[in-house]
Each structure stands twice: as C-alpha cells, then as structure tokens.
Amino acid sequence: MTRSRSWRSEEVARNDRALLSAAREVLAADGAHASVAAIAARAGVGVGSLYRRYRTKQELFQRLCLIALREYLDAANEGLAMDDPWEGLIHYAMASIRSGPGSLAPVAGTFDVTEEMTELAERGDRAVAELVARAHMAGVLRAEVTAVDLELLIEQLSKSPLQEQLQRQGRTELYDAALNARERIITIALDGLRAAPAGVLPGQAPGYELFTMRWAPQEGGAAE
C-alpha cells in the first residue's frame, strides 16, 4: 500500500511538472487568454483528468505558481550554499531564467493569492536579498544594483522571442544557433551586473543567418 501511494505521489509530481512546463509555453504564446485545454494538450494529459485534480482554472494557476515559487526559493538557497558570492548569485539567476518566471506573468492578478503563495514569495525575496547583500559585501556586484533590478532582469531574459518564432515556424535547423545566441545574450546581460571585469562569453558569435533565414520562404508556407 505504501509503495502504491509513493508511485501515485511520483506520478502527480510528474504531471504537475509537465503542466507547469506546458503552461509556461502556452502562456508565452497566448498570454492570459490561454485555455486549460491548450495547457492540458501541451502537457499530454486529458482535460478531464486535469479537472479531476484542479476543479477550476484558478486552482490550476495557484498550483502552478506554488511550484514556480518553490523552484525560485530552491535556486536561491542553492546559491546561498555556494562559497563564491558571485557564482551563487549567477546560479540563482541562471536557474530562474531557464525555468521561465516571466511566462507566468500574464496571469498575474487573474486569481486569488493564497497565504502559502505569499509565504513562499516572502521567503524567496529574503533569500534573494541575502544573495544580493552578500555579493555587495564581497565587492563583486555593482553597488547600485538592487534585488528588484535582478528580478526584473531575470523576467526580461526568461523569454526568447527568437526561439519562440523559430518554434512556431518549425525552423529546427536554426534552433541550436538560436540557443547559442541566447546563452551569449544572457551572459552579456548578467556580466553587466559585475563590479569587476566581465568573463568570457560562451559559444560562438552568432551569425546573421538568424535574421536572414527567418525571412526565407518555407516549403508550403508562401502567402497566396
């Protein structure tokens, strides 16, 4: 019986992660008008099974925000556990950027914030403030940069219009180049927070094919 409950708990956790990933992708494309059906389809679960777990769209979004808030808190605590203040700060920033905090922003204000969400958000804010204060004390973070500056930068960098466009177009031949370009842009932006000289950029310098090839007509996709 215990094994059965454990398996069920793992399955629920997997479904929740799939739903969070799907919701971020759908919200990035459709914004606050994203439908539960579209999220369920992207996650590979049935709408019926989704509604058996979450009675309303509000419950679903509340759950997704809780998962995201725990991810951010975990990333901040992992950063604080690192000895190097700069590496700890960047660990948090990169983990948050890759998990995509900005893509849940379109649903802000569309559902009730629970006490649990507020408590997790406050813990996360305190952890990030500690990361920033520690980096300031070590002299590795520009003195004028605040925790809010960092969070706003993370939200801006969490989306990639280029990658989203290529995915919509099915331009898989450009995806690796776009991913490489995004990593460089993220590194450039985060290096701008440094009080000391910046490090080496990752990958190769992106080429203009990322712009020019997007305009090349696709087979079967030309306008009539």
Side-chain angles (χ1 to χ4, degrees):
M1 194 71 170
T2 301
R3 183 178 297 176
S4 176
R5 284 197 299 268
S6 176
W7 177 85
R8 176 59 181 163
S9 178
E10 291 174 2
E11 181 184 38
V12 168
R14 283 195 301 272
N15 286 343
D16 276 347
R17 287 194 296 271
L19 281 171
L20 177 59
S21 177
R24 284 170 167 160
E25 293 173 1
V26 173
L27 285 168
D30 300 339
H33 300 294
S35 69
V36 171
I39 293 171
R42 184 70 62 92
V45 300
V47 175
S49 63
L50 189 152
Y51 273 122
R52 281 194 294 273
R53 177 157 172 74
Y54 304 105
R55 294 169 298 175
T56 65
K57 192 174 183 178
Q58 170 166 282
E59 282 190 10
L60 172 62
F61 286 154
Q62 286 172 330
R63 176 60 180 166
L64 295 178
C65 283
L66 279 174
I67 297 169
L69 287 167
R70 290 194 184 101
E71 285 184 356
Y72 310 148
L73 178 60
D74 288 345
N77 285 332
E78 289 165 3
L80 288 170
M82 300 173 73
D83 293 332
D84 187 297
W86 176 256
E87 293 301 324
L89 187 76
I90 294 304
H91 171 83
Y92 166 73
M94 292 299 295
S96 299
I97 289 167
R98 286 173 175 146
S99 69
S103 58
L104 287 181
V107 298
T110 65
F111 58 86
D112 296 330
V113 175
T114 66
E115 290 184 7
E116 186 179 8
M117 290 166 61
T118 299
E119 190 266 339
L120 275 172
E122 289 175 348
R123 287 172 60 192
D125 289 345
R126 288 194 296 269
V128 173
E130 187 176 348
L131 277 170
V132 169
R134 191 175 70 149
H136 278 148
M137 290 189 64
V140 295
L141 179 64
R142 290 171 58 173
E144 67 273 23
V145 172
T146 70
V148 175
D149 289 325
L150 177 64
E151 298 289 28
L152 289 173
L153 181 62
I154 288 170
E155 183 170 321
Q156 291 296 314
L157 294 173
S158 67
K159 291 185 64 175
S160 172
L162 171 59
Q163 286 180 296
E164 291 168 10
Q165 181 186 26
L166 294 176
Q167 286 176 335
R168 289 193 299 271
Q169 292 179 337
R171 303 300 297 266
T172 55
E173 76 278 12
L174 292 175
Y175 194 76
D176 285 345
L179 181 60
N180 168 75
R182 184 184 181 211
E183 291 293 309
R184 286 171 61 88
I185 291 299
I186 289 171
T187 301
I188 289 169
L190 295 180
D191 274 348
L193 301 173
R194 282 181 180 267
V200 177
L201 293 179
Q204 303 296 317
Y208 273 98
E209 72 276 4
L210 287 172
F211 297 102
T212 58
M213 289 181 66
R214 274 187 283 167
W215 292 92
Q218 294 176 261
E219 186 176 349
E224 297 180 359

